[in-house]
Amino acid sequence: MATITVDVAVPEALRPVVDVAALPAALGDAGSAWLVLSEDGRLARWTPTTGEVRDVARYAEERRASEKSGGVRLRLHVSRCGRWAGVVQDRGRYGTVIDLTTGSPVLELDGRDYCCETVPFAFAFAEHGGRPVVVHRTDWNRLDVTDLASGEVLTARDSPDRDAEDAEHDLDYFHGALSLSPDGTRVYDGGWVWHPWGMPAVWSLTTWLNGNPYESEDGPSYAVYPEVSEWNWPVVWIDDERIAVYDRDAGGGTVHVLDPTSIELRSPGVRWIKAVATFPWPVGDVGFFTDGEHLLIADEAGLKGVDITSGRQVFAIDGFRPTRQDRHTGTLIQVGSTNARLWTPPKWTARAG
């Protein structure tokens, strides 16, 4: 396993960097390309191996995150095709989708402010019928999907009558961070339920957009994993049939490996995602990534490659603590105040989500 990292300078014009997200490499690019959000609202395309920087847009959010928000952090997302960028307020209320070909905002997002300070802004780019769409929170317990080219809401549906007992499609669930399976057909939601308890959920994006707008509430593919106690901890799709989820409780830290294709009916209307492995991992501030085979865990000491079944460490890169990964090349990046460090796994299959 090659574990050699590459160090590059962060161009002064981009500092300080708020966040980065991978872009598809353009013809002639040498290595991965990244969209950089700078503290002054600049959005620029940066190719670390050449140092090339090209401005593409500006971001400005004049709406307050929320009356109750605390610890709001801007998060950058980029569509797989590279045309669209989303800047959202994690632990806040608002977000914006920007067309990078024109530099103009095309969609303003409002997730409402009920308990928004408890979760990252639920947001993910996806594709449907070959067209780019965005999955986004429109209330604490509701997600919608918008077609970016037309602006059409593809999940239009009536909201449940919350005053009615046993209201149909009433979802008592606080949506959290979203991520798509590598093939782009399933949505993972790292949300929670009251009285506060983490409750990861998975459902079919295909079914949601091909006939059942209520799939994200109680559709036949909607399933949960109630065996974690907290939320907002790392998660990563290893492949289409394995999701690694980290949990921390009074007893320590645990990695749960879930199979979203294996569902068990535990009681009427409640479908549980099966766990195929669990193993302990020390409590700490960690990040999860993958090379498509191993779980890659970033902590204060560096990056560790871990066998997904046994939890056995198989390699390490000391001092390398990446924060983002390029879905196109697999490259991981750690961005500091003046320098960045990159590492690309030897084998990688590009993924949709």
Side-chain angles (χ1 to χ4, degrees):
M1 172 68 69
T3 57
I4 299 174
T5 59
V6 175
D7 292 298
V8 297
V10 176
E12 188 173 355
L14 299 179
R15 306 175 197 165
V17 173
V18 173
D19 201 7
V20 300
L23 288 162
L27 185 64
D29 273 355
S32 58
W34 301 84
L35 185 67
V36 179
L37 173 63
S38 299
E39 195 171 79
D40 62 0
R42 181 181 192 176
L43 284 165
R45 180 187 181 93
W46 175 41
T47 307
T49 52
T50 64
E52 180 185 2
V53 175
R54 178 168 57 87
D55 287 346
V56 292
R58 301 286 300 184
Y59 166 77
E61 179 62 78
E62 298 178 355
R63 299 170 295 180
R64 294 185 61 182
S66 168
E67 294 296 327
K68 301 178 293 183
S69 292
V72 173
R73 181 184 185 279
L74 293 181
R75 180 75 164 176
L76 183 60
H77 301 259
V78 175
S79 64
R80 181 172 59 159
C81 66
R83 176 176 175 178
W84 316 91
V87 184
V88 299
Q89 299 172 342
D90 281 356
R91 298 184 181 270
R93 173 173 178 171
Y94 298 112
T96 302
V97 178
I98 299 167
D99 185 342
L100 297 179
T101 63
T102 65
S104 301
V106 295
L107 183 63
E108 298 293 342
L109 308 172
D110 185 351
R112 308 299 176 186
D113 65 354
Y114 184 51
C115 291
C116 67
E117 72 279 3
T118 68
V119 288
F121 193 101
F123 181 98
F125 283 108
E127 291 187 358
H128 175 61
R131 296 169 65 85
V133 301
V134 61
V135 186
H136 56 103
R137 166 179 164 154
T138 50
D139 209 340
W140 65 276
N141 65 341
R142 180 183 173 112
L143 298 174
D144 279 297
V145 182
T146 300
D147 184 298
L148 287 170
S150 67
E152 178 187 2
V153 177
L154 304 179
T155 49
R157 60 200 187 277
D158 293 331
S159 296
D161 180 2
R162 296 196 59 80
D163 294 328
E165 187 174 351
D166 298 326
E168 188 177 19
H169 307 303
D170 184 21
L171 184 66
D172 189 15
Y173 185 89
F174 296 81
H175 292 295
L178 306 179
S179 59
L180 263 65
S181 58
D183 65 5
T185 64
R186 291 186 178 89
V187 180
Y188 173 91
D189 189 339
W192 62 280
V193 294
W194 195 262
H195 200 294
W197 189 266
M199 187 73 73
V202 175
W203 67 93
S204 167
L205 177 70
T206 306
T207 304
W208 194 19
L209 298 180
N210 283 340
N212 183 18
Y214 293 100
E215 194 68 27
S216 60
E217 275 98 25
D218 54 12
S221 70
Y222 185 89
V224 298
Y225 184 70
E227 296 298 316
V228 300
S229 59
E230 296 190 0
W231 62 101
N232 294 346
W233 291 107
V235 59
V236 66
W237 291 81
I238 303 299
D239 49 38
D240 293 321
E241 297 181 353
R242 293 179 297 176
I243 309 171
V245 181
Y246 183 67
D247 185 35
R248 191 179 78 173
D249 57 31
T254 304
V255 176
H256 301 252
V257 184
L258 313 182
D259 179 359
T261 69
S262 183
I263 307 299
E264 180 181 359
L265 186 64
R266 289 290 185 94
S267 60
V270 180
R271 291 170 290 277
W272 283 39
I273 305 165
K274 289 186 178 180
V276 295
T278 60
F279 54 84
W281 195 263
V283 171
D285 183 11
V286 299
F288 276 13
F289 307 95
T290 187
D291 59 4
E293 178 184 0
H294 304 98
L295 173 61
L296 307 179
I297 302 179
D299 60 21
E300 293 182 357
L303 187 71
K304 299 175 176 64
V306 177
D307 181 88
I308 196 67
T309 301
S310 66
R312 180 178 61 88
Q313 180 178 315
V314 294
F315 67 90
I317 306 177
D318 293 340
F320 180 50
R321 191 177 186 186
T323 57
R324 300 300 295 263
Q325 185 167 27
D326 183 345
R327 76 184 72 178
H328 311 281
T329 65
T331 298
L332 293 135
I333 188 169
Q334 172 187 349
V335 180
S337 57
T338 60
N339 292 282
R341 179 170 291 181
L342 301 98
W343 175 72
T344 302
K347 295 181 181 179
W348 180 258
T349 301
R351 44 182 57 196

